[in-house]
């Protein structure tokens, strides 16, 4: 029904990986505007894509998914579709890395989550994290992309640039509440 | 924020596993009524729980998650939260194992999906499948639990009984559209 991601060269650079990922994301959201469906598949593309990279063999990604702004409380994030172990269901704006991204509307690349003020240890296996805000053209924060790594310094500026491009496609591809 | 599933004895029987799973599901949905959040965590509990079992070591579960009735078309299922590789986004009522469960509102335990009429091969790795309907007290089908196994005969009546109990908790624990 949909193309299976075909590019699985484990030695791609992060930049090459994100170029491929962006094409895959565009293919998967094409013709589908239900936000739950699109976020569920994009979480799988990100998680399994990063797992396929040699660069992450020694830096395993243990969680990739979404928190969305609670439709009934615009100062709270609630858990959306993800890949990985069970996760915290609610995060207040301003709390932890996700909450910081929600308030600042700026991507957070955190090399060591244990040094981050008010870090929320949903999974004790996580040591570094990247969180990318999803912001509507109106300026409203609709949610965040959240990815955890079991090692320190799992993510860098290449992830930031690549995921911000994915975020833009996600924002445009879905009908939001 | 939430209890981490603590029972990880790999030699539990399926019946013991589902008794534990039901307790975990109840704990995770407690105080949370947003359906996306609850389905996302329950998919993770089912997927990683089944993976922890010795009984599934040689029968790997490769996909566990949800399809929900399209809020804009009550004859179509659309992809909800899941664990596993990217999946088909839409399934018409009556099509494949999920579509059969949607129409009949009866659990489908399929020992060999390749022998099932109109089987949809979302993932060529899948060889057996169980699909459990989520039905509101009004009789409306809200969605299905869908689990795939890489080997034949991955699921039996113990899975049916266990997952039907989980389905009942899910139905009662969420606000639906």
């Amino acid at each position: 029904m949909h193309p299976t991601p075909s590019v699985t060269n484990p030695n791609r650079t992060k930049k090459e990986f994100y170029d491929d990922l962006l094409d895959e994301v565009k293919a998967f959201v094409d013709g589908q505007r239900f936000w739950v469906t699109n976020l569920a598949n994009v979480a799988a593309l990100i998680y399994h894509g990063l797992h396929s990279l040699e660069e992450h063999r020694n830096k395993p990604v243990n969680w990739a998914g979404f928190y969305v702004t609670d439709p009934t409380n615009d100062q709270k994030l609630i858990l959306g579709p993800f890949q990985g172990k069970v996760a915290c269901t609610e995060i207040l704006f301003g709390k932890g890395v996700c909450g910081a991204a929600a308030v600042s509307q700026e991507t957070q690349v955190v090399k060591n989550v244990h040094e981050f003020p008010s870090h929320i240890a949903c999974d004790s296996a996580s040591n570094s994290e990247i969180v990318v805000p999803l912001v509507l053209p109106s300026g409203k924060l609709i949610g965040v992309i959240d990815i955890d790594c079991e090692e320190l310094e799992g993510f860098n500026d290449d992830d930031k640039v690549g995921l911000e491009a994915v975020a833009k496609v996600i924002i445009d591809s879905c009908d939001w509440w």
Side-chain angles (χ1 to χ4, degrees), chain A:
Chain A
M1 217 160 188
H2 263 296
T4 300
S6 57
V7 183
T8 53
N9 171 9
N11 295 312
R12 284 177 289 175
T13 64
K14 272 280 176 86
K15 190 176 173 318
E16 290 168 336
F17 165 72
Y18 282 110
D19 285 348
D20 294 336
L21 178 69
L22 195 63
D23 289 341
E24 290 164 8
V25 167
K26 286 177 181 170
F28 269 83
V29 302
D30 183 39
Q32 178 56 252
R33 301 216 35 100
F34 191 48
W35 68 271
V36 180
T37 299
N38 286 348
L39 296 193
N41 263 337
V42 173
L45 285 171
I46 294 172
Y47 182 86
H48 298 291
L50 287 170
H51 269 255
S52 74
L53 291 182
E54 182 63 29
E55 189 172 337
H56 273 284
R57 180 186 291 267
N58 296 321
K59 291 184 175 184
V61 167
N62 58 313
W63 203 93
F66 295 90
Y67 282 87
V68 296
T69 305
D70 186 338
T72 68
N73 178 348
D74 67 4
Q75 293 300 303
K76 194 199 280 181
L77 295 166
I78 47 177
L79 181 65
F82 67 90
Q83 297 278 320
K85 298 284 176 69
V86 287
C88 301
T89 56
E90 303 185 352
I91 298 174
L92 292 176
F93 274 38
K95 194 95 188 348
V97 185
C98 287
V103 168
S104 66
Q105 298 196 355
E106 297 283 345
T107 295
Q108 308 289 308
V109 182
V110 180
K111 294 179 175 180
N112 181 350
V113 292
H114 308 292
E115 293 177 353
F116 196 86
S118 77
H119 168 61
I120 304 163
C122 271
D123 186 340
S124 59
S126 303
N127 280 301
S128 58
E129 185 170 4
I130 184 167
V131 181
V132 179
L134 301 169
V135 184
L136 295 180
S138 67
K140 176 180 164 61
L141 183 104
I142 209 71
V144 298
I145 305 171
D146 181 16
I147 311 177
D148 288 7
C149 179
E150 291 183 10
E151 298 295 325
L152 300 173
E153 303 188 31
F155 309 104
N156 59 30
D157 260 8
D158 288 339
D159 299 280
K160 176 179 186 291
V161 171
L163 290 167
E164 287 178 351
V166 169
K168 194 167 179 326
V169 171
I170 292 170
I171 280 288
D172 292 342
S173 72
C174 302
D175 297 323
W176 304 101
W177 53 90

